[in-house]
Amino acid sequence: MSRDPIFIAWDAAFADASLAIRQQRYAQALAVLRPLIGDAARKAKQWPPYRHALAGYALALYRHGEVNEALLQQSRLLLLAPNDAEARGNLLLLLQTEAIEFPDSAEFRRVLHGVLGQTELSDYAVPACRALLADAAFRQALQRLRGDDAEVVTALRKGRLRPLLQAPLLQLLLRNTLIPQPDFELALRRLRKALLMHYTADPHRPPQTGKADWDFIAALAQYQWLTEYAYAEDPEESQRLAALALQLQAGRDRPAEPAWQAALTYFALYRSGLDLADSRSLFCQSSVSWKPHLQALVREWQACLRERTLAATVERLTDIADPVSEQVRRQYEEHPFPRWRQDPQARQVQSAGQWLRGLAPDLALSADFDGDIAVLTAGCGTGLEPISLTRQIRIGRYLALDLSRASLSYALRMAGELGLRDRIDFKQADLTRLDGYPERFDLITASGVLHHLAEPLHGWRILCNLLKPGGVMLVSLYSEAARRPVAAARQLIAANGWQAEPDRMRQLRQAILAGDYPELAPLLQWRDFYNLGMFRDLVFHPCEHRYTLPQIAAQLRQLNLRFIAMRGLPPALNALYHADYPHDPNGSDLANWASFEARHPNAFRSMYGLLLQKPPP
Ligand SMILES: C[S@@+](CC[C@H](N)C(=O)[O-])C[C@H]1O[C@@H](n2cnc3c(N)ncnc32)[C@H](O)[C@@H]1O
């Protein structure tokens, strides 16, 4: 059977366009593809290359700077091929393009929901919020939350908030990631109060709640758990909540009853279920069948209870005698940091040598780095770094230390769930007590740790002594320039004698959100602001040192460590550096980085990531 001549013409046009794309002649490619895609859409099923042509069209649009149209075409492609990994990756790339405008299209949001549902969301929460705000009905519902309490309750009762309550993308965010958007927090806080007021208006006759609303309320409750209950509450809310807690306590022996689980769902908007008396038997009782909307939240609480059991099994390597270490330990016992969730899967396991040369191509390494190396992570927190490294590189021995048992039990639980329990030796220790420790390591990491010691240089020297000659050290330290607003907040806190108590911290957050401290407004751009433990880490830490790059250079000389490269910088900033310093392609000159930082003072907001080496023997 002969082919339709139009398909033959399209094949030829597509071949021309593909050549133009390969040769980076995007305007020419678009001149061919624009009419082709328009015509071929109607016969997409009969002309198999259509999908590829659409992918080429989206790519050419992107490269040609037509990002909004590229976004539309990319999402159209994903409607045809939802599992196309490359198309998903390209859509994610487009989401992070600053100037992008999101279409007000339910179809687009559905595609976005599908893609984000399979992605680690933390980098995409802000664009996802912008996509939600492109929806006129969503915007209007959000607007209604600016009214006073009574107006918000009325809007809720009359179903006027439905576009917000029933937005699947918002629920996806709420269940999975912090949303670093002040406007969203202000709105969600009001909505939370309205939900509580509505539910508790008549304790004898709670209102009917539809399934869709339960899903939203439970998602908002899960979000509060994720933020570690960071939102402030007013006295009226506290009062209603106390009554709700009593009601739950009274019905404590009938947790399977729908009315009890309904009350628990509302309670969870403000407090963890673990705050209820005898929570272990409550949530570990296998006989209780939890309503579907509550199940994810109950699983979080159950995981936390497992960690408490694991805490008793953590072995101690050193004592913790230093008063600063003890204060720091207490903070991280109360707020293990960070509460990460996504499995840091690696594409492949490679040798440490390959991995390190990927970070610094000119790094001279001994043959040991081609085999199974010995790694120490000092201050491993909740285990994210050891677990990611174990996933990525070949390691024979991994010792991961921290002061905090709660953090270590989080790490143990995650390592267990990911099948890595035997691969990492998690121990409780104060790194400043490791002098005289006999083992030596090829790689030592300490991320966000040394600047919390009373005497960072002393601790750093101890780690240097544990490093083999020619060994590599990855150290991350706070930047003085990037943390100016943090320093201002710390000053305010010290001047007022505020302690790191949950209500105090919530009040300060709320005051910053309300604009009471304009000089602290830049903190709203830090993701850490949106979780209570991370906020504590950000501005209430008992001990914090900050550095300039010349100070770091001086300390490296004292420690006899060589600076090899800077890591962890966002790609856009890295590109700026390389454009500015073409003669330093590996970024191995600290003086250049210092002048770069003078021009980009926020560049190291997520710390200086130093790749260092001890001179070979
Ligand atoms: C900000 S957290 C960083 C955790 C982890 N390195 C990360 O990047 O996810 C700092 C961690 O350092 C730990 N730490 C602080 N001082 C320490 C010390 N003297 N010895 C061992 N760990 C310490 C704390 O307990 C805390 O878990």
Side-chain angles (χ1 to χ4, degrees), residues 58-59 69-78 87 90-91 94:
L59 177 71
E69 188 58 24
L71 185 70
L72 279 180
Q73 299 304 335
Q74 202 63 253
S75 65
R76 202 162 286 166
L77 175 60
L78 279 158
N90 288 338
L91 188 90
L94 279 161

Side-chain angles (χ1 to χ4, degrees), residues 325 328-329 332 337-338 377-385 401-404 407 429-432 446-453 478 537 541 607:
S325 296
V328 172
R329 183 190 70 77
Y332 292 107
F337 181 101
T377 289
C380 64
T382 46
L384 178 57
E385 188 177 35
L401 309 175
D402 203 275
L403 293 170
S404 147
S407 302
D430 180 348
L431 75 89
T432 66
S447 173
V449 179
L450 294 172
H451 48 225
H452 292 316
L453 303 182
Y478 286 154
D537 196 69
H541 205 286
M607 302 191 279

